[in-house]
Amino acid sequence: MALTRKDIEYIAHLARLEVHEDEIPAYTDKLGKIIGFIDALDAAETGDLLPMAHPLNMSQRLRPDVVTAADQRDVYQQNAAEKEGGLYIVPRVVE
Amino acid sequence: MQWEVVIGLEVHAQLATHSKIFSGASTAYGAEPNTQADLVTLGYPGVLPVLNQEVVVMAAKFGLAVGATVAPRSVFARKNYFYPDLPKGYQISQYELPIVEHGHIDLTLEDGSVKRIGITRAHLEEDAGKSLHENMGGKTGIDLNRAGTPLLEIVSEPDMRSAKEAVNYMRRIHQIVRYLGISDGNMQEGSFRCDANVSVRPVGQQELGTRTEIKNLNSFRFVEKAINFEIERQIEVIEDGGKVVQETRLYDSDRDETRSMRGKEEANDYRYFPDPDLLPVEISAEFLESVKAAMPELPQAKAARFAAQYGLKSVDIEVLTAAQGTADYFEAVAAGCDAKLAANWVTGELGAALNRDGLDIAESRIGPAALIGLLKRIEDNTVSGKIAKDVFATMWDEGSDADAIINAKGLKQITDTGAIEAAVDRVIAENPEQVQQFREGKDKVLGFFVGQVMKATQGKANPGQVNQMLRDKLNS
């Protein structure tokens, strides 16, 4: 399946990536090749096989419902670009 | 044109766990911002989610309660979108293989008929954080305490045909999750909320009309009002020759209207895929059996038992079984006195007092044992029902027991025939005009006499005795 310029712009937008105009042809070509690999996988006979949700043939381990995390807000918020009154401050999100 | 309304609900119930769905951070409500946001909640690189066992138990309980299939294997998926209340850039949810599928709720409609509402699925997911926009100097503040709180999203079939039915369904779900103890159902704190999908179509048309989704309704009243507004709006749009646009709308309770959330609508492309950080959840037959064994008696079964065991009226049963706490309280009282008397007082006097003070029955100022103490005094004719209400009020305010109040205030019913007779004679002597009326056939005047005698005895005379004595004397 060939990708178009529109596809690249759309994927970049979903990933919130800024792609320069002159990079688009290269991405179209390279991502198109990856999609090509997936086409090759499509050729495999999967019939009644259950879709694989995880490569490990195991089931989810469960954790007891116990509070184990102590409050370390001050430590974590050292990495925050902006904070106020315990809140993380981000550019305004318009509702 | 006649219109048919089609409604489906997505109910979000926060599960009442101590810790979050994928980490050991606390889920307690009302903490200081971000003090319950650990590394997993914050989406730090390198951390891994580990599923909370209690969440699986709770979802299984719900599945069993609504006659659904609890999936032996379910899978968590990533729902990708960017919003700062979700730092990972995706919400962990379930998509293709939810934990619960194909259930139902039977609603009793106003005409007494029963209508089955299908539950398509119920899946587990994590709640998002809170964004605060007010007084932030043009910025947004993020509190991630709520992020990672376990949610059970319960999706109905589009089986409801009016706002009333939708509310009825939501109330039943609310009742069930509270009976199961899997959610506190607190709507003010957002533990229980719903999105409503609403469309209209001409009666008789098979094909569904275009639907809109009303987001984040957090009270039964708002659900009803928002849906009714939306129905009117859609019909008006169509009758004016327009088309309903498929979109998300918000209900504004101050203005009682729904408004489009245009703008947020673009590119709802969530690119769901199985979360590689989590393995499939497997539920064994033994696990499910152990959950089944721990299931409480559910509202419908309890209602049927109350009817058979206590012979109560269906209106009373509805009130008594609405919440587990009320049912337990009633049964504790009914164990110590007549069940119908107990039902009358729990639904009547007690219910009114709780309502007035905004208390849950668990916080009642009068416990079941104290109420039995009072009702026993009605049963043995120590006090009349009317005086008992005064005693109840004093018990409620002062916390003392019924006997102490009856003794201290001298409220014991007068059973001494002589004392009652004296009062009756006096009242008859003082009201010759009414005596005349009664003898002329105005039976209603008897009520006046009873009232006068009760007043003369400060309500302590036995009303039955007074009645009888008055009749005897007036007719002689």
Side-chain angles (χ1 to χ4, degrees), chain B residues 39-154:
Chain B
L39 292 173
V40 173
T41 307
L42 293 168
Y44 266 63
V47 298
L48 284 173
V50 186
L51 184 60
N52 185 336
Q53 172 172 331
E54 201 52 31
V55 165
V56 178
V57 172
M58 288 175 168
K61 274 188 180 169
F62 179 78
L64 291 172
V66 298
T69 308
V70 179
R73 182 172 177 274
S74 65
V75 171
F76 282 100
R78 291 186 181 178
K79 178 182 182 179
N80 297 280
Y81 65 92
F82 286 106
Y83 208 72
D85 60 13
L86 197 68
K88 296 192 297 300
Y90 58 86
Q91 177 191 30
I92 305 178
S93 181
Q94 295 189 306
Y95 189 55
E96 283 177 324
L97 297 167
I99 191 161
V100 168
E101 276 187 292
H102 314 304
H104 62 263
I105 292 273
D106 288 332
L107 298 184
T108 307
L109 304 183
E110 272 177 339
D111 63 5
S113 64
V114 171
K115 177 171 179 179
R116 177 159 290 192
I117 307 295
I119 291 174
T120 317
R121 57 187 276 157
H123 63 254
L124 289 168
E125 62 184 27
E126 55 180 343
D127 207 345
K130 270 187 187 151
S131 309
L132 300 137
H133 310 288
E134 302 287 315
N135 304 320
M136 284 289 151
K139 297 192 172 180
T140 295
I142 304 291
D143 175 7
L144 294 167
N145 282 348
R146 194 181 67 183
T149 300
L151 290 179
L152 189 65
E153 177 172 335
I154 303 154

Side-chain angles (χ1 to χ4, degrees), chain B residues 148-218:
Chain B
T149 300
L151 290 179
L152 189 65
E153 177 172 335
I154 303 154
V155 183
S156 84
E157 291 288 318
D159 286 346
M160 287 155 276
R161 293 293 173 268
S162 70
K164 266 219 164 77
E165 267 179 44
V167 171
N168 191 343
Y169 165 84
M170 193 178 170
R171 281 190 190 281
R172 288 298 316 281
I173 298 281
H174 187 252
Q175 184 186 35
I176 288 172
V177 298
R178 293 191 61 206
Y179 259 74
L180 293 171
I182 65 174
S183 175
D184 64 17
N186 189 325
M187 298 174 96
Q188 255 145 23
E189 293 176 3
S191 309
F192 193 86
R193 50 194 199 261
C194 99
D195 304 338
N197 288 299
V198 181
S199 67
V200 298
R201 62 182 170 191
V203 168
Q205 180 181 306
Q206 281 300 305
E207 191 192 337
L208 290 171
T210 305
R211 67 185 162 87
T212 58
E213 181 179 13
I214 316 167
K215 282 272 183 201
N216 261 333
L217 298 162
N218 64 352

Side-chain angles (χ1 to χ4, degrees), chain B residues 417-445:
Chain B
T417 329
I420 298 175
E421 192 168 10
V424 167
D425 287 341
R426 197 167 62 244
V427 168
I428 289 176
E430 282 168 0
N431 299 283
E433 202 177 307
Q434 281 80 358
V435 173
Q436 185 62 29
Q437 288 173 358
F438 182 84
R439 290 188 173 143
E440 281 165 4
K442 264 185 104 181
D443 268 4
K444 276 191 194 157
V445 189

Side-chain angles (χ1 to χ4, degrees), chain A residues 69-80 83 88, chain B residues 34 37-40 42 44:
Chain A
D71 167 27
Q72 297 198 64
R73 182 178 76 184
D74 293 345
V75 178
Y76 302 149
Q77 290 202 335
Q78 284 172 17
N79 291 331
K83 59 197 182 243
Y88 291 93
Chain B
N34 293 307
D38 63 341
L39 292 173
V40 173
L42 293 168
Y44 266 63

Side-chain angles (χ1 to χ4, degrees), chain A residues 44-63:
Chain A
E45 181 58 55
T46 50
D48 318 322
L49 287 180
L50 202 65
M52 186 175 68
H54 201 278
L56 294 180
N57 190 22
M58 292 164 65
S59 67
Q60 179 62 39
R61 218 176 56 107
L62 302 174
R63 172 178 66 78

Side-chain angles (χ1 to χ4, degrees), chain A residues 10 60 63 65 73 86 88 93, chain B residues 19-20 33-34 142 269 279:
Chain A
Y10 180 59
Q60 179 62 39
R63 172 178 66 78
D65 179 27
R73 182 178 76 184
Y88 291 93
V93 183
Chain B
S19 64
K20 294 189 177 178
N34 293 307
I142 304 291
D269 186 345
L279 290 152

